[in-house]
């Protein structure tokens, strides 16, 4: 078994069954992605739509259909048309206006509905995207997405700090979980708060303790970049 497969399986088995494991594949090769899919990965997370994800998607061929493609990087407006045919879910909607831009392009991409998560800037960090971690900001965007015909809101995503002591990330994860619980009240129609995507290699254990049901792991599976 390859090291990638071994590490993937070890992490998968360490997680509760109801926690989804996304293999974060930015800067990883097509062969590395194949290895993790063959090891049983169900979710692949990519950061850069074009050219990275479009090229990988093409080169992977049929095997790409075995997994769910998650957009976990910042979605540039210019990339929306290219992102829609590839990704099964967009985790990084950070404003009502971005949501509208996506919504307008869904049908052209041959789809009728795109699942999305709202990105929360839980640490109020200047260099990160996402809504302010407040109920009023959340209410505004949840109601905004609720007006759109082609987006289905499925939950929240947050990054939190990249490195350092994983315990330092705990308050960011807990504030995001509180919003996740509160957000259900603002949902109109179908969709709702089902997916809570938080935690990376150094912090996924803390994230799960704080209620994450989806974690995104790159280095821990593929090794250092
Ligand atoms: C890179 C990345 C990850 C994975 O980070 P690692 O530290 O390599 O596990 C998770 N989420 C997002 C949004 C990322 O960009």
């Amino acid at each position: 078994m390859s090291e990638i497969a071994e590490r993937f399986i070890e992490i998968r088995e360490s997680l509760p069954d109801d926690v989804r494991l996304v293999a974060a594949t930015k800067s990883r090769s097509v062969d590395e992605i194949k290895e993790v899919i063959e090891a049983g990965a169900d979710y692949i997370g990519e950061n850069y739509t074009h050219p990275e994800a479009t090229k990988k998607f093409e080169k992977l061929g049929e095997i790409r259909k075995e997994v769910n493609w998650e957009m976990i990087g910042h979605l540039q407006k210019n990339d929306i048309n290219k992102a829609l045919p590839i990704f099964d879910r967009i985790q990084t909607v950070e404003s009502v206006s971005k949501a509208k831009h996506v919504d307008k392009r869904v049908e052209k991409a041959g789809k009728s509905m795109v699942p999305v998560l709202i990105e929360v800037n839980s640490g109020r960090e200047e260099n990160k995207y996402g809504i302010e971690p407040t109920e009023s900001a959340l209410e505004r965007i949840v109601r905004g997405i609720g007006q759109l015909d082609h987006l289905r809101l499925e939950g929240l995503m947050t990054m939190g700090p990249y490195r350092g002591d994983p315990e330092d990330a705990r308050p960011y994860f807990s504030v995001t979980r509180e919003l996740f619980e509160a957000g259900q009240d603002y949902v109109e129609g179908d969709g709702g708060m089902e997916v809570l995507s938080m935690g990376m290699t150094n912090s996924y254990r803390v994230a799960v303790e704080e209620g994450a049901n989806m974690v995104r792991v790159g280095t821990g599976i593929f090794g250092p970049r």
Side-chain angles (χ1 to χ4, degrees), residues 5 47 64 109 111 114-115 129-130 133 138 153-154 189 194-195 212 219:
N47 289 67
R64 72 183 190 219
K111 297 189 173 178
V114 173
Y129 293 97
L138 182 68
L153 178 62
E154 293 192 336
E194 295 144 24
V195 179
T219 321

Side-chain angles (χ1 to χ4, degrees), residues 26-80:
K26 61 172 170 277
S27 82
R28 308 298 174 173
S29 69
V30 169
D31 287 339
E32 288 174 297
I33 298 174
K34 269 191 188 147
E35 277 182 38
V36 83
I37 296 175
E38 280 160 8
D42 296 313
Y43 302 92
I44 299 292
E46 276 283 339
N47 289 67
Y48 308 105
T49 299
H50 194 70
E52 199 174 330
T54 38
K55 275 193 186 153
K56 287 173 177 175
F57 200 70
E58 234 169 67
K59 287 192 186 147
L60 278 165
E62 288 296 297
I63 196 175
R64 72 183 190 219
K65 295 180 186 156
E66 293 175 21
V67 294
N68 219 56
W69 289 79
E70 306 277 336
M71 176 56 177
I72 62 174
H74 181 61
L75 181 60
Q76 308 282 349
K77 201 180 145 197
N78 294 341
D79 282 340
I80 296 173

Side-chain angles (χ1 to χ4, degrees), residues 121-164:
N121 187 355
S122 53
R124 299 174 186 264
E125 292 170 275
E126 268 177 30
N127 60 346
K128 296 230 171 87
Y129 293 97
I131 63 161
E132 234 188 288
T134 62
E135 282 201 36
S136 58
L138 182 68
E139 174 168 5
R140 191 172 162 270
I141 188 168
V142 169
R143 294 201 192 281
I145 292 173
Q147 302 290 308
L148 303 175
D149 290 337
H150 306 297
L151 300 193
R152 185 175 66 240
L153 178 62
E154 293 192 336
L156 304 183
M157 176 272 203
T158 198
M159 298 271 292
Y162 291 112
R163 46 182 78 78

Side-chain angles (χ1 to χ4, degrees), residues 49 75-85 90 98 101-102 105:
T49 299
L75 181 60
Q76 308 282 349
K77 201 180 145 197
N78 294 341
D79 282 340
I80 296 173
N81 283 332
K82 291 197 172 82
L84 282 170
I90 296 173
K98 182 66 64 66
H101 286 301
V102 175
R105 292 166 174 81

Side-chain angles (χ1 to χ4, degrees), residues 80-126:
I80 296 173
N81 283 332
K82 291 197 172 82
L84 282 170
I86 296 179
F87 292 105
D88 298 297
R89 179 159 40 211
I90 296 173
Q91 299 203 3
T92 49
V93 172
E94 85 288 27
S95 65
V96 176
S97 83
K98 182 66 64 66
K100 285 182 182 165
H101 286 301
V102 175
D103 181 68
K104 255 195 287 188
R105 292 166 174 81
V106 172
E107 285 190 312
K108 243 194 307 179
K111 297 189 173 178
S112 56
M113 189 65 88
V114 173
V116 299
L117 306 184
I118 295 166
E119 181 167 8
V120 179
N121 187 355
S122 53
R124 299 174 186 264
E125 292 170 275
E126 268 177 30

